[in-house]
Amino acid sequence: MNDDVTLQDQADSTADAIAAVALITIFVATCIFWISGQ
């Protein structure tokens, strides 16, 4: 049981990390695109 919970926590942490990186990447790309368009 505990192993399943630990694996689920790790999966959630990985998903959160990927989501954070994706959001930051999109934000940075948007800023660069906006600035280059000025």
Side-chain angles (χ1 to χ4, degrees):
M1 297 283 278
N2 289 337
D3 288 342
D4 291 340
V5 173
T6 300
L7 289 174
Q8 187 63 48
D9 288 342
Q10 289 176 343
D12 289 343
S13 295
T14 301
D16 289 343
I18 293 173
V21 170
L23 287 173
I24 293 172
T25 300
I26 292 171
F27 178 75
V28 171
T30 300
C31 288
I32 293 174
F33 180 77
W34 184 77
I35 292 171
S36 66
Q38 296 302 301

